[in-house]
Amino acid sequence: MKRMLSAIKPTGQLTLGNYIGALKNFVSYQDDYEMICFIANLHCITVYQKPEELKKNLKDAVALYLAAGLEPDKTTIFLQTDVLEHAQLGYIMACNTYLGELNRMTQFKDKQAKGETGLTAGLYTYPCLMAADILLYDADYVPVGEDQKQHVELTRDVAIRFNHKYGDDSFVVPEPLVTKVGKRIMSLDDPSRKMSKSEHNDKGCIYLLDDPKLAAKKIKSAVTDSLGKINYDPINQPGITNLIEIESALTGEDIDSIVARNKDKGYGEFKTEVAEVVEKTLSDIQARYKEIIDSGKIDEILEEGAMKARKIASKKLKKIERKVGIEIKKRK
Ligand code: TYM
């Protein structure tokens, strides 16, 4: 069975973008792949987080993984810091990544270009840690939204170079897996920008734990255009296109079929249809989220997941340490 690995960094509450671009897909893959999904808590602190808020967001993220349908007996679920090998291989990866490669990462470049101050070394080198996250487990595929594809491509480059230097059996070279529909859900109040946890204006972003009625309201007040026609046209009608993608991703109905069914409707009527789909999705997830939080089982699930992950990760790290020449004890 091929292995698949992914993660989410809960620097805030998980969003509908995280769900459509990532989480929902993890759930659909878990029957056909050996699935590893962790919570990237080390990545969270590349930007300052209030400790108490972060703690809550981490726990909520685990509960939302489960509420979305990840099953611990099919998917290995754990917290990144419970497997120390991530940080250690991250350092080795940093020693095998060039500054020029990190300088080309658009996420960091964008923050720099916006003139954001206080950017940390951790944020700059975070693609090295992400490479370690993936390579530690010899993942064949990495399902991600479009914005993370560049980091998986860097991981491939680093793995290929490492294999060339130290031997082809070092790392499996992973492939990013980006779905056609929903790979980049846009902000509802500015469809030229990605919907994101760090959005300054809450109107543009739906959080999975938003009151479902409020989420429906956000869809109904989404920015569209003045063309007045339901079309899938990312360039000229990005707002309407975004709503079509959201509906298609959540219901599984084809984009063409949604467009054909709605072609004579006004924007208000179409928005009401999408709002109902989003409201129902959130209500279902939140009902399960509540059960999971009340069950008190999260710690146990994370401990079991970490145990499984450590078994793979420790073996791999030892192998890589021997390859680079920093381990001198006999192989156990
Ligand atoms: P993060 O937490 O920013 O995002 C988690 C996943 O959600 C996807 N995503 C979206 N997809 C569609 N539309 C959107 N608006 C949207 N917003 C976010 C992201 O593409 C991603 O798949 N560095 C990673 C976490 C990470 C990771 C890894 C991922 C750490 N180690 C190893 C894969 C493998 C991150 O910050 O994702």
Side-chain angles (χ1 to χ4, degrees):
M1 205 184 229
K2 294 271 190 196
R3 188 176 283 163
M4 200 174 257
L5 172 141
S6 204
I8 296 182
K9 164 188 77 174
T11 41
Q13 285 288 329
L14 299 200
T15 68
L16 189 66
N18 293 136
Y19 180 69
I20 292 177
L23 189 47
K24 186 179 143 296
N25 305 324
F26 306 163
V27 175
S28 70
Y29 293 132
Q30 69 180 341
D31 287 323
D32 301 320
Y33 295 88
E34 184 191 337
M35 193 78 194
I36 299 177
C37 277
F38 64 93
I39 303 286
N41 56 349
L42 280 174
H43 290 269
C44 289
I45 56 167
T46 51
V47 173
Y48 173 75
Q49 308 290 314
K50 288 191 187 130
E52 282 312 311
E53 264 176 39
L54 178 57
K55 220 167 142 181
K56 166 148 190 355
N57 287 335
L58 295 176
K59 193 166 180 187
D60 279 348
V62 184
L64 285 168
Y65 270 24
L66 299 165
L70 284 181
E71 297 173 37
D73 54 345
K74 293 184 183 161
T75 298
T76 303
I77 301 169
F78 63 98
L79 210 57
Q80 189 181 25
T81 43
D82 282 342
V83 183
L84 301 180
E85 285 80 0
H86 285 251
Q88 198 150 339
L89 187 65
Y91 175 75
I92 298 176
M93 291 299 100
C95 294
N96 283 276
T97 306
Y98 295 121
L99 291 182
E101 290 175 313
L102 293 179
N103 289 338
R104 282 195 290 278
M105 294 297 107
T106 50
Q107 279 203 342
F108 190 83
K109 273 203 308 198
D110 286 352
K111 281 190 192 280
Q112 239 178 354
K114 275 193 231 153
E116 282 187 35
T117 53
L119 298 181
T120 66
L123 186 68
Y124 181 64
T125 58
Y126 119 96
C128 307
L129 179 59
M130 181 160 160
D133 294 340
I134 298 167
L135 299 177
L136 200 46
Y137 298 93
D138 280 334
D140 298 288
Y141 299 106
V142 185
V144 282
E146 194 177 49
D147 62 321
Q148 288 296 327
K149 194 169 169 219
Q150 192 186 31
H151 294 145
V152 184
E153 276 160 1
L154 174 68
T155 302
R156 283 176 63 82
D157 293 344
V158 173
I160 290 169
R161 189 164 57 237
F162 193 100
N163 286 353
H164 194 64
K165 250 197 223 164
Y166 296 106
D168 276 344
D169 62 332
S170 304
F171 292 124
V172 166
V173 179
E175 270 183 50
L177 216 66
V178 179
T179 55
K180 220 170 132 233
V181 177
K183 61 181 185 288
R184 191 176 182 83
I185 298 300
M186 308 309 276
S187 165
L188 298 171
D189 69 341
D190 177 0
S192 68
R193 286 184 17 234
K194 188 189 76 165
M195 181 184 283
S196 127
K197 299 177 216 111
S198 53
E199 196 131 344
H200 299 298
N201 185 349
D202 265 2
K203 266 167 52 187
C205 182
I206 290 180
Y207 298 95
L208 293 180
L209 293 178
D210 267 351
D211 177 340
K213 293 254 177 287
L214 172 70
K217 227 165 142 184
K218 289 183 185 178
I219 293 283
K220 285 183 192 161
S221 53
V223 167
T224 49
D225 55 66
S226 54
L227 297 173
K229 189 119 188 75
I230 312 277
N231 263 329
Y232 186 84
D233 181 348
I235 307 288
N236 300 308
Q237 295 184 261
I240 281 294
T241 297
N242 194 35
L243 296 180
I244 296 172
E245 286 223 15
I246 290 174
E247 178 165 0
S248 173
L250 294 181
T251 60
E253 185 179 353
D254 270 5
I255 296 228
D256 287 348
S257 151
I258 294 175
V259 172
R261 234 177 2 81
N262 286 286
K263 70 179 184 337
D264 298 322
K265 285 190 195 156
Y267 286 177
E269 206 179 335
F270 177 57
K271 281 178 172 177
T272 301
E273 174 176 312
V274 182
E276 276 167 14
V277 170
V278 170
E279 188 177 332
K280 163 108 180 50
T281 303
L282 262 54
S283 300
D284 291 350
I285 290 176
Q286 288 176 18
R288 287 193 296 269
Y289 162 87
K290 199 174 167 314
E291 277 170 28
I292 290 152
I293 293 282
D294 292 347
S295 77
K297 285 208 175 125
I298 288 183
D299 289 356
E300 195 186 309
I301 289 169
L302 288 179
E303 195 39 57
E304 266 173 32
M307 246 161 53
K308 282 196 230 161
R310 267 184 228 124
K311 259 193 205 149
I312 307 173
S314 61
K315 213 165 138 200
K316 186 76 187 181
L317 180 66
K318 279 279 159 268
K319 178 174 171 177
I320 296 303
E321 287 182 342
R322 270 194 305 278
K323 281 192 176 283
V324 295
I326 55 174
E327 161 71 42
I328 58 170
K329 288 191 298 296
K330 273 228 179 98
R331 189 174 188 160
K332 271 196 218 149

